[in-house]
DNA sequence: ATGCTTGAGGAGTCTTTGGTTAAC
DNA sequence: AGTTAACCTTTGACTCCTCAAGCA
């Protein structure tokens, strides 16, 4: 029970962490987009509306509405502004456009108007506003590169979308664990299939009857239920035996879990692009679809279905989606509605061709579980006839390799893409067990190698495939992609993604990861690489999770060599010499891994960075004796001129107009001359370049204290100014100095002297402040008294401060005079006490100054008063 | 229509060690 | 007379990435 509470609190904490990460990203995005006014307009509604709306979708209840409303209002406001320019002012459109800054114009504000160009409704008050940007402008617009800001916004949108989809996946996963749903599913299951729950070592083959039964029972429709929560929607789908692809996939996961199988709900997160330009291009082709479609292109949305029912023909219908994906499956939609028929009629020729291609793709690439029992049986039999070793779930090894994406010439639409499926852990597979792709919607098993091709055919890039279990998640993209090098650049910063997934991975691993006994030892090299937490070098214990990590890593490391040269430009594993930068070299070269267009291919890990001697010095490294440069570059004209000029001055003849570069393997730790006899070794400029601690000569210390050099000079200690870098000022680079470098033995002396000096300066400062305060009090009181005297003398009482001075009568003036005099006296006494150290005495005895002890010096106007204790003070007489 | 190569151009990075004058 | 600080003016060459054009 306690463990359960702990677990819950941990889950809660993880959720909070994730929520925190998400919220940070959203807030950053909102902050970024708010002040953006016009420049964001060119992102048109795709950012302001689609992305804005998306923010509210998967958020916590409170945040949900707030963010959604905020973003929608913002988007609406933007639209209203733009509409207002046309609607209200009519012909003033051009004026408004002129009023926009050039940058606004270039940023593409016109783009928003352009959308209306084809709109017959753009006629206002009988006046048609022609908005046809010139070809030149259009060309300029398309040529406009995304600015850094655009990129940052795109990245933020990408991240937020990713988090939303992640949150959605968790919701679905949680619903799959619902005991009532699972019990209901079991109640529907024929008795013969119930036996599966007793199978301790399930295999892919053993799941066939179950998948077959499931795909017979449940149908995909375009209609989403009106249920508020996903759990209710799932219950509704179970009852009706039809639902959205997401619901049906979730039901399959619930069924697997009900049968004690370890199963994940897997989702292909089709996130908005990380790069702004891609979407811009997309937006042109998808303009027609955009109207009723957010970034959540799938009709299964994160908010109440009633609000987002995909009724527009422009929307990708699940009907066509179903057909797109399943034509080859012979799964007929028995509940086709008249609406679906309409949509069928609306299909373009391209769509039909597209569907045919999809059908061909699937029939050619995936194993089909036919509804026909006979065929199913035949399939099973054919599987069972495989030798045990070769019995694979993916029994289709047809020539149409998954590395050859399906032609996408027809239909530039991202519909029909496989988006939801399940993964079941089959411990009877592959000796140690493995995760098996199960697409119960289409009755497919082990089709992981085909998902990429199917997605590519539907113009969906396979960037994030995430498996959900135990309210956690794990990125399993590598299982489904064959060319990681193409996918990786389209994904968000790996560190950020790992950070987001870390707590979820833990939850997922806890839910799915049982310890398993390996029948063989893990290879030591691989073992180290994978950093297996639960495995031991000579033990055979690992977890499913770590084994899966190994499997995914192996997939990535064993990617085939790309066949075109461009692919090597940023390939994480391989490299062509021609794509090396000026400061790169392949070392050690070794035999090439292969060839591409005749050029040798090397490992990316063999690429070394080269630097000049001076650059290495900054890192505390120096080139070994007798090492020849690994690469010699020719200087540019300007560099050569500067160098030649310097050489003339120095009368050196060894200038060769080259830059010598060295690699890491040619270096050793920097050996600077040691400080001796209290003298700091300095460079030719009489200073020490302190790029890092490593650059300090041995026996010296860097004291970063302001104006400490003054003390060093005063104490006659040898020092060198510490140069810590450069800054650009007034068009030239200027060295930045911070503190000094002195011999270590002087460190304490200097620090003590510095502390003393600081104290002395502080005391001086304090004294100065006190004197200043005193002087100001004196001036203030003097002015009051003088004013009062004048007032008394000239009697009108209406000098320049009638509001106050009028009310002062002679008695008051005398009082003020007496008080101010006392105050001045008191301050002087205190000061005297402080100076003479008689503060303690003053506390015990209050001085009394009798008139008979007073004496007045007419010359200095000083009145000397004396107490009977002998204490005397001098007061300036007013 | 797609994919590859090439060249152009833009964005971002790297470069890098004052002189004069007035006030103190 | 020596020291300090403010002011002046506001790089530009290079690398690398991206995109369009041309071609197969």
């Amino acid at each position: 029970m306690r463990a359960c509470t702990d677990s819950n609190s941990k889950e809660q904490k993880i959720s909070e962490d994730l929520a925190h990460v998400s919220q940070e990203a959203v807030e950053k995005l909102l902050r970024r987009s708010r002040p953006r006014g016009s420049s964001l307009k060119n992102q048109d509604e795709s950012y302001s509306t689609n992305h804005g709306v998306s923010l509210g979708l998967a958020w916590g209840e409170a945040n949900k509405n707030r963010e959604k409303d905020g973003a929608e209002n913002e988007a609406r406001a933007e639209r209203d502004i733009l509409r207002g320019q046309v609607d209200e002012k009519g012909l003033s459109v051009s004026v408004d456009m002129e009023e926009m800054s050039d940058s606004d114009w270039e940023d593409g504000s016109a783009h928003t108007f352009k959308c209306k160009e084809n709109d017959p409704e753009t006629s206002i008050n009988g006046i048609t506003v022609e908005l046809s940007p010139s070809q030149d402008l259009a060309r300029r617009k398309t040529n406009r590169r995304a600015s850094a800001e655009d990129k940052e916004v795109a990245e933020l949108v990408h991240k937020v979308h990713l988090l939303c989809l992640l949150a959605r996946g968790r919701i679905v996963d949680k619903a799959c664990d619902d005991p009532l749903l699972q019990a209901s599913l079991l109640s529907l299951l024929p008795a013969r299939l119930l036996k599966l729950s007793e199978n301790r070592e399930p295999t892919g083959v053993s799941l066939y009857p179950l998948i077959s039964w499931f795909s017979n029972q449940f149908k995909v429709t375009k209609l989403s239920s009106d249920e508020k929560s996903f759990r209710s929607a799932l219950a509704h789908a179970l009852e009706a035996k039809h639902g959205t692809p997401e619901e049906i996939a979730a039901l399959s996961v619930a069924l697997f879990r009900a049968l004690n199988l370890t199963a994940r709900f897997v989702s292909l997160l089709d996130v908005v692009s990380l790069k702004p330009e891609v979407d811009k291009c997309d937006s042109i082709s998808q303009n027609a679809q955009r109207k009723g479609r957010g970034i959540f292109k799938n009709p299964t949305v994160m908010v109440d279905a009633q609000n987002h029912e995909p009724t527009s023909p422009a929307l990708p219908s699940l009907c066509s989606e179903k057909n797109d994906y399943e034509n080859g499956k012979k799964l007929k939609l028995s509940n086709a509605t008249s609406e679906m028929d309409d949509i069928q009629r609306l299909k373009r020729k391209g769509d039909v061709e597209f569907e045919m291609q999809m059908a061909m793709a699937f029939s050619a690439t995936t194993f089909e579980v036919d509804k026909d029992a006979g065929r199913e049986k035949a399939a099973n039999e054919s599987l069972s006839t495989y030798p045990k070793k070769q019995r694979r779930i993916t029994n289709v090894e047809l020539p149409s390799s998954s590395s050859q994406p399906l032609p996408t010439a027809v239909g530039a639409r991202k519909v029909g893409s496989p988006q939801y499926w399940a993964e079941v852990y089959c411990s009877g597979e592959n000796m140690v067990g493995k995760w098996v792709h199960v697409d119960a919607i289409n009755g497919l098993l082990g089709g992981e190698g085909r998902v990429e091709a199917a997605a590519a055919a539907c113009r969906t890039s396979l960037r994030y495939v995430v498996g959900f279990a135990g309210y956690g998640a794990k990125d399993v993209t590598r299982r489904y992609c064959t060319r990681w090098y193409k996918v990786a650049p389209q994904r968000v910063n790996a560190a950020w993604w790992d950070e987001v997934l870390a707590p979820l991975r833990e939850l997922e691993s806890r839910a799915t990861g049982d310890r398993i006994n390996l029948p063989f030892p893990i290879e030591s090299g691989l073992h180290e690489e994978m950093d297996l937490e639960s495995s031991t070098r000579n033990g055979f214990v690992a977890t499913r999770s770590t084994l899966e990590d190994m499997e995914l890593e192996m997939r990535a490391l064993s990617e085939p060599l790309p066949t075109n040269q461009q692919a090597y430009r940023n390939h994480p594993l391989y490299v062509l010499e021609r794509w090396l930068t000026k400061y790169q070299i392949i070392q050690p070269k070794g035999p090439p891994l292969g060839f591409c267009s005749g050029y040798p291919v090397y490992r990316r890990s063999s690429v070394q960075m080269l630097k000049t001697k001076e650059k290495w010095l900054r890192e505390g490294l120096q080139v070994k004796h007798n090492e020849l440069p690994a690469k010699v570059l020719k200087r540019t004209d300007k560099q050569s001129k500067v160098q030649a000029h310097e050489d003339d001055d120095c009368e050196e003849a060894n200038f060769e107009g080259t830059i010598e570069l060295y690699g890491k393997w040619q270096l050793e730790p920097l050996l600077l001359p040691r400080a001796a006899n209290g003298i700091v070794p300095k460079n030719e400029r009489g200073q020490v370049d302190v790029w890092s601690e490593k650059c300090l000569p041995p026996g010296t210390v860097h004291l970063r204290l302001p104006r400490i050099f003054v003390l060093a000079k005063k104490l006659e200690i040898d020092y060198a100014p510490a140069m810590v870098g450069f800054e650009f000022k007034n068009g030239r680079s200027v060295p930045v100095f911070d503190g000094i470098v002195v011999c270590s033995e002087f460190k304490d002396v200097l620090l003590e002297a510095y502390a003393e000096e600081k104290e002395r300066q502080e005391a001086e400062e304090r004294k100065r402040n006190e004197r200043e305060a005193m002087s100001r009090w004196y001036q203030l009181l003097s002015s009051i008294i003088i004013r009062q005297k004048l007032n008394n003398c000239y009697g009108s009482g209406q000098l320049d401060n009638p509001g106050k001075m009028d009310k002062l009568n002679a008695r008051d003036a005398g009082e003020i005079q007496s008080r101010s005099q006392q105050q001045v006296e008191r301050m002087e006494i205190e000061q005297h006490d402080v100076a003479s150290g008689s503060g303690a005495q003053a506390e015990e005895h209050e001085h009394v100054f009798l008139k008979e002890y007073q004496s007045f010096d007419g010359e200095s106007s000083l009145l000397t008063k004396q107490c009977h204790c002998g204490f005397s003070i001098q007061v300036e007489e007013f």
Side-chain angles (χ1 to χ4, degrees), chain A residues 584-852:
Chain A
Q584 286 179 330
I585 197 172
I586 294 170
Q587 173 75 26
K589 216 159 186 176
L593 299 172
F595 290 88
C596 174
S597 311
Y599 298 102
V601 177
Y602 298 97
R603 283 189 193 287
R604 174 72 64 177
S605 56
S606 301
V607 174
Q608 303 260 8
M609 286 305 295
L610 302 174
K611 289 180 187 179
T612 59
K613 276 182 185 176
E614 293 73 27
K615 276 282 172 69
W616 284 123
L617 276 180
R618 293 183 184 187
E619 294 180 22
L621 297 164
Q622 67 180 26
V623 177
K624 285 180 200 162
H625 189 59
N626 286 339
E627 284 285 349
L628 293 171
K631 205 173 188 178
V632 179
L633 302 176
K634 215 177 166 197
R635 279 179 194 273
T636 59
D637 288 349
K638 192 211 166 191
Q639 284 174 320
S640 302
K641 275 177 200 163
V642 171
Q643 187 68 37
H645 183 69
E646 282 173 8
D647 289 343
D648 285 347
D649 290 348
C650 302
E651 292 179 1
E652 286 174 12
N654 61 350
F655 169 61
E656 290 168 0
T658 56
I659 301 169
E660 295 177 344
L661 300 172
Y662 298 87
K664 217 161 196 172
W665 70 97
Q666 298 177 294
L667 307 171
E668 61 187 3
L670 183 60
L671 291 168
L672 290 168
R674 196 177 179 81
N677 305 323
I679 306 294
V680 178
K682 306 172 189 73
N683 65 13
E684 64 276 15
R685 297 178 193 277
Q687 64 199 33
V688 175
D689 295 349
V690 192
W691 300 103
S692 70
E693 287 292 309
K694 291 174 190 167
C695 299
L696 280 176
T700 64
V701 285
H702 181 199
L703 301 176
R704 305 181 88 138
L705 296 165
R707 298 188 59 77
I708 195 167
F709 71 93
V710 177
L711 279 175
K713 203 179 274 182
K714 204 164 141 188
L715 296 168
E716 296 183 340
I717 293 171
D718 184 63
Y719 71 93
M723 197 203 72
V724 294
F726 289 94
E727 65 176 342
F728 251 91
K729 230 159 84 177
N730 306 331
R732 63 169 68 88
S733 74
V734 182
V736 177
F737 294 94
D738 186 10
I740 57 172
V741 176
V742 292
C743 293
S744 312
E745 58 263 34
F746 299 122
K747 182 186 171 187
D748 293 338
V749 180
L750 267 170
L751 288 179
E752 269 173 38
Y754 186 83
E756 270 174 32
E757 179 65 17
K758 201 176 168 192
E759 208 170 297
R760 194 187 62 76
Q761 280 179 358
E762 278 171 2
E764 212 167 74
E765 177 75 15
R766 219 172 20 245
K767 251 184 203 169
R768 196 165 49 242
N769 286 342
E770 280 170 7
R771 268 203 302 273
E772 181 78 7
M774 199 73 73
S775 158
R776 288 184 180 174
W777 269 112
Y778 180 79
Q779 282 175 15
L780 173 69
L781 296 170
S782 299
S783 68
I784 293 172
I785 290 160
I786 289 166
R787 187 170 295 185
Q788 191 55 43
K789 273 183 181 174
L790 289 169
N791 201 21
N792 289 343
C793 287
Y794 301 102
S796 72
Q798 293 180 342
L799 287 170
D800 60 352
N801 194 352
K804 283 185 181 175
M805 297 306 285
D806 285 1
K807 293 173 187 167
L808 293 172
N809 56 28
R811 189 175 55 82
D812 294 333
E815 202 174 314
I816 287 170
Q817 186 174 359
S818 150
R819 277 188 195 169
S820 54
Q821 194 163 346
Q822 281 171 14
Q823 201 156 356
V824 173
E825 282 171 12
R826 203 175 304 132
M827 279 161 28
E828 290 200 1
I829 289 165
E830 281 168 8
Q831 197 177 358
H832 186 270
D833 284 348
V834 170
S836 64
S838 60
Q841 196 185 344
E843 277 175 19
E844 291 164 13
H845 165 74
E846 193 168 330
H847 301 297
V848 180
F849 304 102
L850 299 169
K851 287 230 171 180
E852 49 266 39

Side-chain angles (χ1 to χ4, degrees), chain A residues 386-554:
Chain A
Y386 282 165
K388 197 143 195 171
K389 263 187 186 173
Q390 293 175 353
R391 190 186 295 169
R392 291 170 57 89
I393 298 161
T394 51
N395 64 336
V396 180
E397 296 295 339
L398 295 178
S400 62
S401 159
S402 58
S403 63
Q404 298 287 325
L406 293 164
T408 54
V410 185
R413 294 173 53 187
K414 289 169 91 178
V415 295
S417 169
Q419 207 167 359
Y420 308 104
W421 61 91
E423 276 183 359
V424 178
Y425 191 80
C426 294
S427 47
E429 285 288 336
N430 209 13
M431 295 172 83
V432 290
K434 69 177 259 195
W435 286 97
V436 173
H437 163 266
V438 183
D439 185 348
I441 299 172
N442 303 299
L444 304 175
L445 257 165
E448 65 259 26
R450 321 299 166 196
V451 172
E452 188 177 41
C458 302
R459 292 266 174 130
T460 304
S461 62
L462 193 138
R463 289 167 295 178
Y464 303 93
V465 180
V466 179
F468 297 90
Y471 209 39
K474 182 170 185 175
D475 188 325
V476 291
T477 314
R478 286 190 167 181
R479 177 169 293 131
Y480 296 93
C481 81
T482 50
R483 287 174 292 179
W484 180 250
Y485 75 91
K486 279 199 168 176
V487 170
Q490 295 176 49
R491 284 163 56 106
V492 73
N493 169 292
W496 182 86
W497 182 231
D498 287 346
E499 193 189 343
V500 168
L501 280 187
L504 298 179
R505 272 190 63 138
E506 199 182 310
L507 289 173
E508 198 275 342
S509 173
R510 214 184 298 158
T512 61
D514 273 354
R515 282 193 161 208
I516 49 176
N517 291 325
L518 300 181
F520 54 84
I522 295 171
E523 284 177 38
S524 59
L526 197 65
H527 188 86
E528 282 162 19
E529 211 167 7
M530 300 310 157
D531 189 25
L532 292 180
E533 52 192 24
S534 316
S535 307
T536 52
R537 186 172 291 265
N538 48 7
F540 296 171
V541 183
T543 64
R544 285 175 186 172
S545 179
T546 51
L547 277 175
E548 188 187 24
D549 289 345
M550 282 165 60
E551 180 206 328
L552 297 179
E553 196 73 21
M554 279 306 293

Side-chain angles (χ1 to χ4, degrees), chain A residues 2 26 43 52 94 126 154 162 347 391 489 551 576 753-754 805:
Chain A
R2 189 178 166 182
V26 173
Q43 305 295 333
S94 58
L162 202 49
K347 273 182 190 168
R391 190 186 295 169
E551 180 206 328
L576 282 186
Y754 186 83
M805 297 306 285

Side-chain angles (χ1 to χ4, degrees), chain A residues 350-414:
Chain A
D351 293 340
V352 176
E353 287 175 20
F354 168 76
E355 283 166 15
M356 282 168 67
Q357 291 206 9
M358 281 301 300
M360 283 162 63
F362 272 96
S363 63
T365 55
T366 17
F367 181 79
E368 172 190 329
V369 178
D370 202 314
K371 289 182 187 248
D372 182 316
R375 285 195 64 176
E376 179 197 318
K377 197 180 166 191
N380 273 324
E381 279 169 4
S382 68
L383 265 176
S384 58
T385 56
Y386 282 165
K388 197 143 195 171
K389 263 187 186 173
Q390 293 175 353
R391 190 186 295 169
R392 291 170 57 89
I393 298 161
T394 51
N395 64 336
V396 180
E397 296 295 339
L398 295 178
S400 62
S401 159
S402 58
S403 63
Q404 298 287 325
L406 293 164
T408 54
V410 185
R413 294 173 53 187
K414 289 169 91 178

Side-chain angles (χ1 to χ4, degrees), chain A residues 173-225:
Chain A
D173 170 55
K174 200 166 191 181
C176 295
D177 280 336
D178 189 271
L180 203 61
L181 273 173
Q182 290 185 1
S184 308
L185 278 161
L186 284 182
S187 70
L188 292 173
L189 205 64
R192 64 185 170 94
L193 294 173
L194 271 172
K195 285 177 195 162
L196 260 175
S197 62
E198 294 158 15
N199 189 351
R200 291 278 151 233
E201 291 204 337
T203 60
V205 176
S206 65
L207 294 177
Y208 270 120
L210 184 66
I211 309 303
S212 176
W213 173 83
F214 185 89
S215 55
N216 268 327
Q217 290 288 312
F218 295 95
K219 306 285 179 289
V220 171
T221 65
K222 74 179 279 283
L223 301 168
S224 55
S225 66

Side-chain angles (χ1 to χ4, degrees), chain A residues 7 51 124 149 180 248 313 318 341 348 415 477 542 572 641 719 813:
Chain A
S7 155
H51 304 168
I124 305 122
E149 197 178 17
L180 203 61
I248 300 301
L318 259 181
D341 293 338
R348 298 166 301 167
V415 295
T477 314
K641 275 177 200 163
Y719 71 93

